[in-house]
């Protein structure tokens, strides 16, 4: 069967291949420690689940207006105002099946074939593929590990050309684990302010998960010229441990939101009916913020613990996680070595051999633009973290001694 060329242009996910291998091993009875998951190990708070049960019982099971009911739009506006200092009318926000679909619709609404989109790396795996699907050209700017992988204003300025149409900024970051300080973001915003044609895609979905006293700030607030060309993305997935619900939202300039709604109306009409009222409640009920704060405190301890242990392992370098729930250690010192006759050549073979030999699942950084690093999620219990790290330590000793 001949498929459309756009399918061939989208990369196969190495992450999914490694996850599938880990799952197959687990299903065959092997005790695998999983550091691969990009989702909180907490359950969705009861008050949100109860609201969904009530919505079903009320019969909220039919089509709703596209893209969602007004109550959800109003709740999103309230949240953006309260937490981010961003003022939107309900017509300036929209929803999608997760942050992922919101980002995709936005790239489709803004990017024309050949447009360049600046993408700091390491990046979340779907950005380049979504940009390419929209016909755009991802212009990857590599973050310096010595600067916690953060893009500098000089790097941003150098990357901008007359063809630049978009700039993706993801803070806190998956997979780098960094969170830009307000001053660092301001310096980037000043550069963007000088280039009025650039649309900013500000992915702030991990905004509540920041550690060690750091504060999240919304990019759109950093220059008066930004609100009319910045799209601010968020979702319920990580904040309220609702990854499977598929609910994301975005606020931005009306023309882009209208265009996204137009696309959405022909693609999936709207987000699932009976998650809309619960989704609104999650954003407005104080229990929403309380639940994420509990997770945040827990993740902060786990992240610090994982990072300290990783840094104590020979030849492992790792940026201290300041946000999200990932450590992203550099494992390249082990490249060229072998264990059980298997040679470690890059992050993919490192991850694959680690899984085979030590039964620990990590995500190679290749899909994020880094073939020298692996991503470990600390959204798992302290017991699992220690068990997995003990195994990694033993594995590295074997590799070093081989
Ligand atoms: C940086 C980043 N943006 C967007 C998403 C998509 O989130 P969702 O699960 O709501 O689609 C993810 C999910 O892992 C992410 O890490």
């Amino acid at each position: 069967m001949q498929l459309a060329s756009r399918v061939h242009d989208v990369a196969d996910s190495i992450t999914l291949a490694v996850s599938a291998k880990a799952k197959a091993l687990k299903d065959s009875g092997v005790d695998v420690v999983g550091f691969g998951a990009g989702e909180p190990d907490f359950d969705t708070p009861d008050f949100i689940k109860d609201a969904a049960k009530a919505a079903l019982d009320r019969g909220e099971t039919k089509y709703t207006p596209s893209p969602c009911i007004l109550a959800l739009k109003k709740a999103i506006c309230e949240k953006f105002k309260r937490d981010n200092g961003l003022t939107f009318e309900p017509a300036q926000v929209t929803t999608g099946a997760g942050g992922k679909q919101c980002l995709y619709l936005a790239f489709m609404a803004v990017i024309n074939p050949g447009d360049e989109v600046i993408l700091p790396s390491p990046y979340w795996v779907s950005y380049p593929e979504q940009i390419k699907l929209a016909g755009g050209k991802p212009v990857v700017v590599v973050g310096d590990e010595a600067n916690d992988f953060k893009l500098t204003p000089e790097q941003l300025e150098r990357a901008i050309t007359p063809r630049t149409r978009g700039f993706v900024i993801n803070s806190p970051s998956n997979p780098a684990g960094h969170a830009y300080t307000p001053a660092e973001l301001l310096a980037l915003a000043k550069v963007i302010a000088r280039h009025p044609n650039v649309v900013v895609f500000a992915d702030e979905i991990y905004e509540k998960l920041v550690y060690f006293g750091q504060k999240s700030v919304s990019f759109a607030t950093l220059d008066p010229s930004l609100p009319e060309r910045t799209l601010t993305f968020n979702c319920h997935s990580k904040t309220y441990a609702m990854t499977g619900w598929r609910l994301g939202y975005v606020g931005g300039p009306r023309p882009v939101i209208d265009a996204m709604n137009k696309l959405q109306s022909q693609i999936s009409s709207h987000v699932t009916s009976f998650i809309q009222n619960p989704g609104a409640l999650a954003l407005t009920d104080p229990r929403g913020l309380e639940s994420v704060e509990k997770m945040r405190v827990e993740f902060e301890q786990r992240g610090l613990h994982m990072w300290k242990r990783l840094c104590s392992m020979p030849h492992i370098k790792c940026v201290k996680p300041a946000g999200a729930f990932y450590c992203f250690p550099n494992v390249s010192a082990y490249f060229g070595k072998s264990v059980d006759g298997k040679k470690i050549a890059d992050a993919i073979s490192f991850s694959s051999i680690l899984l085979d030999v030590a039964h620990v699942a990590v995500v190679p950084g290749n899909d994020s633009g880094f073939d020298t690093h692996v991503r470990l999620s600390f959204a798992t219990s302290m017991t699992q973290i220690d068990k997995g790290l003990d195994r990694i330590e033993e594995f590295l000793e074997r590799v070093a001694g081989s």
Side-chain angles (χ1 to χ4, degrees):
M1 166 72 80
Q2 193 173 351
L3 298 174
S5 55
R6 75 176 69 85
V7 179
H8 300 294
D9 294 341
V10 173
D12 284 323
S13 169
I14 298 161
T15 310
L16 286 187
V18 174
S19 310
K21 192 171 161 187
K23 188 172 180 312
L25 213 58
K26 225 175 194 165
D27 290 349
S28 72
V30 176
D31 171 28
V32 175
V33 177
F35 288 142
E39 58 185 351
D41 55 325
F42 292 82
D43 196 4
T44 304
D46 281 341
F47 80 97
I48 307 175
K49 290 200 288 188
D50 290 343
K53 290 174 200 163
L56 280 169
D57 289 342
R58 281 196 305 272
E60 290 174 17
T61 55
K62 302 291 198 298
Y63 290 134
T64 73
S66 177
C68 65
I69 56 174
L70 184 60
L72 179 52
K73 287 189 184 181
K74 284 185 172 167
I76 292 167
C77 294
E78 186 181 324
K79 182 264 172 235
F80 273 132
K81 182 86 199 150
R82 182 195 63 214
D83 295 356
N84 308 93
L86 294 170
T87 308
F88 294 119
E89 296 292 320
Q92 285 181 280
V93 300
T94 192
T95 51
K100 188 180 260 185
Q101 201 202 19
C102 292
L103 281 153
Y104 178 61
L105 291 171
F107 290 130
M108 292 298 278
V110 172
I111 303 303
N112 266 316
D115 284 349
E116 293 180 355
V117 180
I118 296 174
L119 183 57
S121 87
Y123 45 75
W124 175 56
V125 294
S126 294
Y127 297 135
E129 307 316 311
Q130 292 193 348
I131 292 165
K132 284 190 276 173
L133 280 168
K137 182 174 168 236
V139 175
V140 174
V141 184
V142 181
D144 184 355
E145 190 160 13
N147 190 37
D148 291 358
F149 301 109
K150 290 174 188 171
L151 183 76
T152 64
E154 295 75 27
Q155 282 181 301
L156 177 58
E157 185 70 70
R158 268 200 305 276
I160 295 175
T161 75
R163 289 174 304 282
T164 304
R165 183 70 180 124
F167 167 52
V168 177
I169 178 78
N170 170 219
S171 177
S173 151
N174 171 13
H178 65 222
Y180 285 78
T181 64
E184 288 164 342
L185 281 182
L186 181 63
L188 297 177
K190 281 189 175 153
V191 175
I192 294 296
R194 291 197 287 274
H195 299 276
N197 290 332
V198 177
V199 174
V200 179
F201 298 82
D203 182 342
E204 300 179 357
I205 74 162
Y206 291 98
E207 63 163 349
K208 296 280 183 256
L209 301 175
V210 281
Y211 311 124
F212 318 119
Q214 187 143 332
K215 293 266 172 291
S216 287
V217 58
S218 277
F219 198 81
T221 61
L222 295 172
D223 187 86
S225 72
L226 289 175
E228 66 185 31
R229 57 196 174 99
T230 299
L231 292 152
T232 304
F233 297 86
N234 216 315
C235 64
H236 288 58
S237 307
K238 320 285 173 169
T239 311
Y240 309 110
M242 289 172 68
T243 46
W245 294 56
R246 310 309 300 132
L247 185 53
Y249 56 96
V250 48
R254 179 84 191 260
V256 181
I257 299 296
D258 284 348
M260 290 172 66
N261 286 339
K262 189 170 164 184
L263 295 174
Q264 183 70 303
S265 74
Q266 301 293 4
I267 294 171
S268 63
S269 301
H270 59 74
V271 291
T272 301
S273 56
F274 52 85
I275 68 169
Q276 295 187 26
N277 271 313
L281 185 72
L283 294 172
T284 51
D285 191 295
R287 285 172 291 180
L289 288 178
E290 282 161 26
S291 65
V292 63
E293 178 56 15
K294 273 193 202 131
M295 281 201 308
R296 194 199 66 76
V297 168
E298 186 72 31
F299 286 151
E300 185 174 68
Q301 287 168 9
R302 295 180 191 175
L304 185 62
H305 181 69
M306 179 181 265
W307 172 72
K308 279 187 180 161
R309 283 207 57 185
L310 284 169
C311 292
S312 73
M313 296 181 195
H315 313 299
I316 294 286
K317 276 194 292 181
C318 186
V319 167
K320 186 177 177 184
F325 38 69
Y326 309 102
C327 282
F328 195 57
N330 185 335
V331 294
S332 61
Y334 291 88
F335 294 176
K337 299 193 180 289
S338 300
V339 62
D340 289 356
K342 296 171 185 166
K343 188 156 180 191
I344 299 175
D346 57 9
I348 300 177
S349 47
F350 180 94
S351 307
S352 170
I353 299 168
L354 177 71
L355 182 59
D356 288 340
V357 173
H359 303 151
V360 179
V362 300
V363 177
N366 301 59
D367 280 345
S368 298
F370 269 70
D371 62 2
T372 43
H373 291 63
V374 294
R375 191 193 77 178
L376 283 74
S377 161
F378 46 83
T380 187
S381 71
M382 214 49 135
T383 316
Q384 284 297 102
I385 289 174
D386 271 326
K387 186 167 161 185
L389 292 174
D390 287 346
R391 290 183 187 182
I392 292 178
E393 210 159 38
E394 272 170 45
F395 171 79
L396 294 180
E397 272 167 29
R398 274 181 71 183
V399 177
S402 65

